[in-house]
Every structure is written in structure tokens, then in C-alpha cells.
Amino acid sequence: MTRRRWIAEHWDEATATITGAQAEHLARVLRAQPGVEADVVAGGHVFHAEVAAVSPDEVRFNLIAEVEADPALPITLVMAVYKFDHMEWAIEKATELGVSAIAPAIARRTEKHLAQAATKRAERWRRIAHESAQQCRRSDVPVIHDPQPLNVLVAAPPTAVRLVLAEQERSTTLRNALEQTMESSADEMPSFHLAIGPEGGWAPNEEALFDANGWRAVSLGPRILRAETAAIAALSIVASFLE
Ligand code: SAH
């Protein structure tokens, strides 16, 4: 039986503590007692740990030994803000698929009321990523950046492989682009920025903006996918080249 995994909020070299709702769940629902074993994530490292002390809103663990961590994929998903329920589902799936960071983007065709509500909603998106990371036993939680206008996010690090998922693109597939990238960067593992547009797609001036900032337009095939489907497909294809 695999040990349950908890992501600690506070830690030092010998102990780690979880607080709030997850501590309450562990204490009240799972009735944790001192001595119970678990995996505890502290500072991006995973430890075999055992419960040292339990109170209604705090559980402290003794860290016994570090165990093998599974590094996240070096991928940042630039995701245009769109219908929150679908977007939140995409955040959970991207977390399961190993994304390192998600940068919500305010795109031209992001609906105005969603653009205005996005910054406030980011805390909820962080909670979704945290819970999903715990559920899929990641040793880290993806970073959810504050929403930014697309024209800020296109200035991604020039060292990153920047790929914009473009539903109109016909000549270059994501796979083609990755094959070329992996050939040219023989030794070190590149990092990737993948951009997914809103329900209404990328506006023409956004496609020009990506192009002017060194992003490569790539296709996931002839069918028009929902943004969340495109995110899952793109992350899976990139992961297949990296893992
Ligand atoms: N409203 C647009 C579709 C937008 S789909 C239309 O009907 O044409 C939302 C996003 O998913 C797109 O902006 C793109 O980033 C991605 N996407 C969807 N299908 C894709 C495909 N076949 N290839 C590459 N990206 C795709």
C-alpha cells in the first residue's frame, strides 16, 4: 500500500508541519496518531516521515529519510484565460501531467468579465494545483503565476523553446518542432513554454506578436480542439519526448 503523501507548509531539517484544512482532514477524518507513516513533501524534496504530534489544525511529522523525488517537466503552460470551470479542469490535468508552471494570459478574446475576475481567481487556481499535486503524488506543486496580459508573457525567456499551439497552423506539427528541437539541443534538456489560446482562438495581431517574439506556431492536427484538450495533448506529446 503506497504511503499517503502530504505537502508541508512549514519545515526544518528534521520536522515538517501541515496546517489548515489538510491537517484537519488528517487529524479528524483520518484520525492520524503519532507513529503513523506517510510521505511528506518539504521544499521540493520527498521524505519518508511519521506523525510526531496531532492537534485539530496542525500535524507535525518527524522526517525519517529522503526518498526519490520525481522532477516536474520543464514546461510552462501559458494559458489564455477562458471559461473558469473548463480552465480549472485544465489546471488539474496539467498538474497531473507534470507541468512546472502555469501562466494565465489575458488574451484579446478573453471575455472581459473573466479578465477582470482572473487575478482574484488565481488563489483558487493555486488551491486546485496544490490538491491535484497531492492526489497524483507529485513532489512539488506547479507555480500558478498571477494573470498577465499576453504581450507581457510573449517575452518568455529566450533560452526556452517557445511553441504557440495555433489551430490555423498546417505545415508544422508539434511533433515536427520537438524532433527538430531535440536534435539541435543534444546535451542539455531544454525548457519549454507552450501557449494555448482562448475559446475564440488567437487574434491575428497575437499571432504576429508570437512570431515577432521568437515563438513557433505548431499544430496538433486538423481538428479544432477545446483549449483544455489542446493543453492535455500538447503536454503529453512534449512529455513523451522528455521522459
Ligand atoms: N475558436 C477557434 C478555436 C480555439 S481552440 C476556432 O474555432 O478556430 C483554443 C486553443 O486551443 C487554440 O487557440 C489553440 O491554442 C488550441 N488548439 C485547438 N486546436 C488546435 C490544433 N488543431 N492545433 C493546435 N492548437 C490547437
Side-chain angles (χ1 to χ4, degrees):
M1 171 13 197
T2 47
R3 288 191 294 266
R4 289 184 75 94
R5 182 171 290 195
W6 303 90
I7 298 177
E9 280 94 357
H10 312 289
W11 61 87
D12 58 35
E13 66 287 341
T15 68
T17 303
I18 64 174
T19 60
Q22 55 174 2
E24 190 194 333
H25 181 76
L26 181 51
R28 199 167 48 78
V29 175
L30 300 177
R31 311 185 69 72
Q33 297 298 325
V36 164
E37 298 191 8
D39 275 354
V40 173
V41 176
H45 298 268
V46 186
F47 295 88
H48 173 201
E50 69 172 12
V51 174
V54 183
S55 68
D57 60 355
E58 185 177 287
V59 176
R60 188 162 45 77
F61 294 87
N62 288 328
L63 303 180
I64 299 168
E66 183 163 357
V67 297
E68 190 58 35
D70 56 339
L73 295 174
I75 303 173
T76 294
L77 185 65
V78 175
M79 176 152 246
V81 171
Y82 70 113
K83 264 195 310 214
F84 285 162
D85 52 350
H86 287 241
M87 186 175 164
E88 290 165 2
W89 189 78
I91 289 170
E92 182 182 73
K93 299 310 143 196
T95 300
E96 291 173 55
L97 288 166
V99 77
S100 283
I102 295 175
I106 306 300
R108 168 73 62 98
R109 293 176 184 159
T110 292
E111 290 176 43
K112 290 291 159 278
H113 71 287
L114 298 180
Q116 281 150 7
T119 302
K120 261 203 317 291
R121 195 82 174 194
E123 264 326 297
R124 176 180 159 82
W125 295 338
R126 293 185 178 108
R127 251 196 338 275
I128 290 170
H130 187 283
E131 282 157 17
S132 173
Q134 202 147 267
Q135 176 274 322
C136 68
R137 299 177 61 77
R138 279 184 59 152
S139 47
D140 64 332
V141 182
V143 172
I144 308 293
H145 293 292
D146 284 334
Q148 300 251 42
L150 183 68
N151 59 10
V152 169
L153 291 170
V154 290
T159 51
V161 176
R162 288 150 286 162
L163 302 171
V164 51
L165 281 304
E167 65 275 13
Q168 309 303 344
E169 173 59 31
R170 281 291 168 272
S171 60
T172 306
T173 64
L174 174 53
R175 180 196 172 108
N176 300 148
L178 291 170
E179 281 163 347
Q180 289 157 28
T181 301
M182 299 318 266
E183 267 158 32
S184 57
S185 62
D187 46 357
E188 83 284 354
M189 158 106 85
S191 67
F192 294 85
H193 275 56
L194 305 179
I196 307 264
E199 273 179 299
W202 297 118
N205 76 307
E206 289 173 328
E207 292 176 338
L209 195 62
F210 278 117
D211 188 44
N213 283 272
W215 292 67
R216 191 162 183 202
V218 292
S219 169
L220 288 169
R223 289 170 297 283
I224 298 294
L225 312 175
R226 284 188 182 280
E228 57 270 27
T229 314
I232 291 173
L235 285 167
S236 304
I237 292 166
V238 175
S240 71
F241 275 78
L242 300 177
E243 285 181 323

